[in-house]
C-alpha cells in the first residue's frame, strides 16, 4: 500500500462529532471513486480498496479526470490552480487491494456489488478488524441496511450513506437510519455529509429509501413502454427531458447508472415490497445477460464510443 505511513500518522482516534478525518471506501467503481474524490477534495485522507490493482488504477484515472472538471469549474482558466487542486486532492488518496490496509479510518463506506451476502461478509470482516470508534456505512441503492449489518456488533455505529451518480455533481446524500444507530453516529454522518458539500436528507430503512423508491417505478415503466413498442426509446427520452425537465431521459439514465445496478435494485425492491411495479422486466434481464450494461461496457440502450467511457 502506498502512503500508508502518512495515513496512519494523520489518523484520528477521537469519536466526537465532526471527528471524521480519515475515510476508507471499499469498492473503487463508479460510486466508490466518486465518494473517494469528494472526501479527498474536502481535505480528508482517503483509502480506496478494490479487488485488483488495475481497478484501482482505473479509479485513480477517473478521479483525476473528474477533479480536473471540478477544478475548471472552481478556478476557471487558472491552469496552475487547477493542477495544484488536482495534485493536492490526489495526494490524499491511497489505494490497496487489502481490506486490512483500510480499516484504520474514522469512517468506512462500502460501495461494492449490490448483493446482500457479499456485503454481509464484508461488514462482518470490517466489524472485527476496525477500531472501536470507526463508523461503518453502506452505499447500497436498495438493500435493507439492517439486513446488511445483521451480523455486526457495532449496530450503534452503523448506517446508510446513499450517494447519487455522478457523486461530485449530485448534491444530495441520503443518510439512512438503521434500527439501532445512535444519535451521535447519526449526527456525525449528517455533519460529515455537510463537510463534503452535500445536502443531507434522512430516511428510515425503507425499500429504495426516498429517491430510488420513486425512480425505480419510473425506470421500469419506461422500459416496459419501449418493450411493448408503444414509443421509441429516443422519443421517451426526449419526452421526459423536454416535457418534465429531467436532465436525462430514463434510457440515458439507465445506461449511466449501469443496467446491472438497475436490475439488482428492481429485483431487491420487488423481493422487499412484492409491489408488481418492481416485477422483473424481461428486456432488462436480457440486456444484462448479454453484458450490455450501459456506458461502462460501451453498450446499453445506446452505443458509446471509447472516448466517452
Ligand atoms: N465529475 C465532476 N464533474 C462532472 C462529472 C463528474 N463525474 N460529470 C459531469 N460533470 C460536470 C461537467 O464538467 C459539467 O461542468 P460545467 O457545467 O462546468 O461544464 C457539468 O457537470 C455538466 O456536465 P456535462 O456538460 O458533461 O453534461 P450534462 O449537462 O448533461 O450533465 C449530468 C451531466 C450532471 C450527469 C446530468 O445529465 C444529470 O444530472 N443527469 C441525471 C443524473 C441522475 O439523475 N443521477 C441520479 C441517478 S440515481 C442514483 O444515482 C441512485 C442509485 O442508487 C442508482
Ligand atoms: P461498480 O460495479 O462500478 O463498482 C463496484 C466495485 O466494487 C468494482 O470495482 C468491484 O471490483 C469492487 N468490489 C466488488 N466486490 C468487492 C470486494 N469484496 N472488496 C472490494 N471491492 C469489491 O458499481 P457501482 O455502480 O459503483 O455500485 C456500487 C454500490 O453503490 C452498489 O451497492 C450500488 O447499488 C450502489 N449505488 C450505485 C449507484 C449507481 O448509479 N451506479 C448509485 C448509488 C448507489
Amino acid at each position: 500500500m502506498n502512503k500508508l505511513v502518512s495515513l496512519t500518522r494523520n489518523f484520528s482516534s477521537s469519536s466526537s462529532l465532526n471527528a471524521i478525518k480519515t475515510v476508507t471506501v471499499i469498492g473503487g467503481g463508479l460510486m466508490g471513486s466518486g465518494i473517494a474524490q469528494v472526501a479527498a477534495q474536502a481535505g480528508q485522507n482517503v483509502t480506496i480498496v478494490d479487488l485488483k490493482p488495475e481497478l484501482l488504477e482505473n479509479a485513480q484515472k477517473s478521479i483525476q479526470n473528474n477533479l480536473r472538471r471540478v477544478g475548471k469549474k472552481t478556478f476557471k482558466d487558472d491552469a496552475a490552480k487547477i493542477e495544484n487542486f488536482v495534485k493536492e486532492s490526489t495526494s490524499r488518496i491511497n489505494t490497496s487491494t487489502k481490506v486490512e490496509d483500510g480499516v484504520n479510518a474514522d469512517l468506512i463506506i462500502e460501495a461494492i456489488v449490490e448483493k446482500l451476502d457479499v456485503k454481509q461478509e464484508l461488514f462482518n470482516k470490517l466489524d472485527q478488524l476496525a477500531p472501536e470508534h470507526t463508523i461503518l456505512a453502506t452505499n447500497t441503492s436498495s438493500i435493507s441496511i439492517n439486513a446488511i449489518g445483521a451480523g455486526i456488533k457495532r449496530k450503534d455505529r452503523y448506517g446508510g450513506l446513499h450517494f447519487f451518480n455522478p457523486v461530485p455533481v449530485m448534491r444530495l446524500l441520503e443518510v439512512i437510519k438503521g434500527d439501532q444507530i445512535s444519535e451521535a453516529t447519526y449526527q456525525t454522518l449528517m455533519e460529515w455529509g455537510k463537510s463534503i458539500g452535500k445536502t443531507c436528507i434522512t430516511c428510515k430503512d425503507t425499500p429504495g429509501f426516498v429517491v430510488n423508491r420513486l425512480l425505480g417505478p419510473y425506470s421500469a415503466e419506461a422500459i416496459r413502454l419501449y418493450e411493448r413498442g408503444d414509443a421509441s426509446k429516443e422519443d421517451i427520452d426526449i419526452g421526459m427531458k423536454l416535457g418534465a425537465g429531467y436532465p436525462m431521459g430514463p434510457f440515458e439514465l439507465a445506461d449511466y447508472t449501469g443496467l446491472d445496478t438497475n436490475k439488482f435494485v428492481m429485483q431487491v425492491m420487488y423481493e422487499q415490497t412484492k409491489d408488481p411495479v418492481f416485477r422483473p422486466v424481461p428486456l432488462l434481464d436480457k440486456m444484462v445477460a448479454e453484458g450490455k450494461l450501459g456506458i461502462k461496457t460501451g453498450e446499453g440502450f445506446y452505443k458509446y464510443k471509447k472516448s466517452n467511457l
Side-chain angles (χ1 to χ4, degrees), residues 170 218 237 240-242 244-250 252-253:
M170 304 311 280
Y218 161 71
D237 276 347
M240 293 315 290
K241 284 191 285 191
L242 303 191
Y246 285 28
M248 284 176 170
E252 292 167 333
L253 182 59

Side-chain angles (χ1 to χ4, degrees), residues 31 37 66 69-70 73 141 162-166 168-170 211-212 215 247-248 253 256-257 261 265:
M31 297 306 289
Q37 175 182 335
N66 289 331
R69 294 166 93 165
V70 175
K73 205 178 285 179
S141 296
H162 186 218
F163 285 85
F164 295 84
N165 179 33
V169 179
M170 304 311 280
V211 175
N212 282 345
L215 269 184
M248 284 176 170
L253 182 59
Y256 194 66
T257 301
T261 299
V265 169

Side-chain angles (χ1 to χ4, degrees), residues 116-133:
L116 177 61
D117 54 341
V118 186
K119 286 190 193 283
Q120 281 175 331
E121 192 184 325
L122 175 65
F123 273 98
N124 293 345
K125 188 169 179 183
L126 291 172
D127 192 33
Q128 281 172 13
L129 296 175
E132 208 172 311
H133 80 284

Side-chain angles (χ1 to χ4, degrees), residues 30 165 233 237 248-260 262 287 292-304:
L30 194 59
N165 179 33
K233 56 184 187 303
D237 276 347
M248 284 176 170
F251 296 97
E252 292 167 333
L253 182 59
D255 279 359
Y256 194 66
T257 301
L259 299 197
D260 50 342
N262 258 41
M287 291 176 73
K292 294 178 183 163
L293 305 185
I295 295 178
K296 63 183 166 189
T297 56
E299 185 174 353
F301 288 104
Y302 298 104
K303 287 190 177 161
Y304 301 87

